[in-house]
Amino acid sequence: MSSRAHLLNDRTAEHYRRSLTDGVGRVADRLARTERPFTGVTPAELAPAVSSIDLDQPLQDPGAALDELEDVYLRDAVYFHHPRYLAHLNCPVAIPAVLGEAVLAAVNSSLDTWDQSAGGTLIERRLIDWTAGRIGLGKAADGIFTSGGTQSNLQALLLAREEACRLVRKNSETAQPTSAILPRLRVLASECGHFSVEKAARLLGLGPEAVIPVPCDRDRRMRASALEQELARCAEEDLVVMAVVVTAGTTDFGSIDPLPQVAALCEAAGVWMHVDAAYGCGLLVSPRRGHLLAGIERADSVTVDYHKSFFQPVSSSAVLVRDRSTLRHVTYHADYLNPARSVAERIPNQVDKSIQTTRRFDALKLWMTLRVMGADTVGELFDEVVDRAADAWRLLDADPRYEVVTEPQLSTLVFRYVPEDAAGIPDSLVDKANLHAREALFASGDAVVAGTVVDGRHHLKFTLLNPETTLDDIAVVLDLLAGHAESFLAPARRA
Ligand SMILES: *Cc1c(COP(=O)(O)O)cnc(C)c1O
């Protein structure tokens, strides 16, 4: 094959069709016959297959490369579509979205400027407006697709920081250089919030003391009274709260902070309210649970991860803002790309709103999903997994082998194996048994579950995002986990 035959164009369209069809066929076969979410392969077992491949010796043939891919990836991948994959916030993906992914990769639009995307820009803008409308952010809202919740949170906090600095300058009689303001900035975030908030603060030039954790209640929701106290304390100490970050669906517990109370406090204090709805955004399309997000419409910015609860392939995420003018804080002009005059000419250049430059047309996946399935169908699927989590909670709550931390609002369950006859078994050993149960299950490949630490103790965690997961699957996985935990404890019992 000539070297140019590998590039996609008018003359190679047929080669593209065959190549993709072959690849899709193999993935379809693989998906159809995966019996377990994972093979249990270890890094040490798999690494030689990957490292022995000579990257300077191409195979020239897509079929041969796909054969090889079976050995280094497809056979041992972790499959999120499997009903016994219960670990992280990974969803089975909607077929229309996967179709969108294939289209966007082939056309390869870049959404930084109109002259690299055309209709892609308009589609992205429609979806941003649609999402802002679902949230209820009002007429001045806007936003941008991002690579994920981490980036969305970073951008939201960047805008909040710039707005806070602007207000400090406006309200002060003396000149205030940014370097004098930054050390006074604080972010108040739920102690159950996502670590990307701290990471963002660091990237934004704030010190480790800048993010103040606000205590949560037993259901792992931010205590509004604690937030009120922190706001008052910061004011007394002449600190500037640049943002309050609340979470609509914490990663561990799916808990939703009290949005209306927080909104009222933020409005009274004149503080930017950011809602991290990376996980809970599925409620925006839920036919039965939309009310759980009441108050989100009062946010200044919102993070949504379509790749979590909208069944979209990674990546697909957005940050939305109430006031589109705040996006100017990320607007820079380059003569070769988006010259300042393009604003006057009303050329829609999305790079003006993004912290990225070259940017994928991820919006197309959501577009295809809404055009084929519709928002209600997406929301019904999310409702189904939330229902399943409620049923699973009842199962766990009635199971003497397990302690469950909270009754879920969304679709996660955090629980702990507690031996029935625990006499003489120290708590540290129970902790290790829980760790072991998760690792042994992963190594078996029978199911994949997550783990986390609550109040210093190891817990197990299910994240349900697959409507195919039945209560029976959950019961089976609980038996498997108990079996692994017990075989770990057996020597201690005999001793
Ligand atoms: C997953 C998650 C994030 C991070 O999103 P990524 O898409 O993984 O970058 C942020 N906040 C919450 C609450 C999350 O669950």
Side-chain angles (χ1 to χ4, degrees), residues 301-456:
S301 56
V302 179
T303 287
V304 296
D305 257 359
Y306 308 106
H307 63 216
K308 284 181 179 160
S309 47
F310 274 68
F311 306 97
Q312 298 296 293
V314 177
S315 329
S316 184
S317 179
V319 61
L320 290 302
V321 293
R322 152 176 309 287
D323 173 2
R324 68 166 66 93
S325 77
T326 58
L327 290 169
R328 73 185 181 284
H329 297 305
V330 295
T331 309
Y332 291 78
H333 292 288
D335 292 332
Y336 64 85
L337 189 68
N338 59 334
R341 68 168 185 282
S342 52
V343 177
E345 290 167 4
R346 304 182 74 84
I347 298 170
N349 288 329
Q350 295 288 81
V351 69
D352 296 355
K353 307 174 188 179
S354 176
I355 59 177
Q356 289 173 260
T357 306
T358 304
R359 199 163 48 84
R360 290 166 54 83
F361 183 20
D362 286 318
L364 182 60
K365 297 178 283 193
L366 180 59
W367 179 269
M368 292 298 283
T369 303
L370 296 183
R371 297 312 299 139
V372 177
M373 296 165 59
D376 284 352
T377 306
V378 174
E380 280 158 19
L381 292 172
F382 188 55
D383 267 345
E384 238 185 279
V385 297
V386 179
D387 288 343
R388 196 83 73 256
D391 292 343
W393 178 80
R394 280 187 282 276
L395 195 69
L396 267 165
D397 196 45
D399 190 332
R401 299 172 298 177
Y402 292 100
E403 266 169 21
V404 49
V405 179
T406 56
E407 189 174 349
Q409 267 182 302
L410 294 181
S411 63
T412 63
L413 288 153
V414 180
F415 56 96
R416 191 166 194 262
Y417 180 75
V418 283
E420 270 168 88
D421 175 19
I425 301 178
D427 210 44
S428 60
L429 204 60
V430 176
D431 231 36
K432 285 191 184 128
N434 276 276
L435 259 185
H436 170 84
R438 167 161 116 93
E439 284 163 9
L441 186 67
F442 187 64
S444 75
D446 292 330
V448 185
V449 307
T452 192
V453 174
V454 184
D455 304 330

Side-chain angles (χ1 to χ4, degrees), residues 177-195:
T178 303
S179 58
I181 304 171
L182 287 187
R184 291 168 57 209
L185 295 183
R186 293 293 179 272
V187 176
L188 305 185
S190 147
E191 62 176 342
C192 296
H194 195 263
F195 70 91

Side-chain angles (χ1 to χ4, degrees), residues 89 147-151 153 194 196 247 249-251 276 278-279 305 307-308:
L89 277 163
S147 62
T150 302
Q151 193 189 344
N153 285 345
H194 195 263
S196 56
T247 314
T250 57
T251 315
D276 180 354
Y279 171 20
D305 257 359
H307 63 216
K308 284 181 179 160

Side-chain angles (χ1 to χ4, degrees), residues 30-39 77-88 90-93 445-449 463-470 473 476-477 480:
R30 171 55 65 186
L31 293 175
R33 64 195 153 85
T34 40
E35 281 162 4
R36 295 182 297 167
F38 184 45
T39 58
V78 177
Y79 284 102
F80 302 153
H81 73 279
H82 195 281
R84 292 187 187 171
Y85 177 84
L86 309 171
H88 303 287
N90 307 109
C91 49
V93 289
D446 292 330
V448 185
V449 307
T463 306
L464 306 183
L465 278 179
N466 190 348
E468 293 290 323
T469 301
T470 62
D473 286 313
V476 169
V477 174
L480 290 170

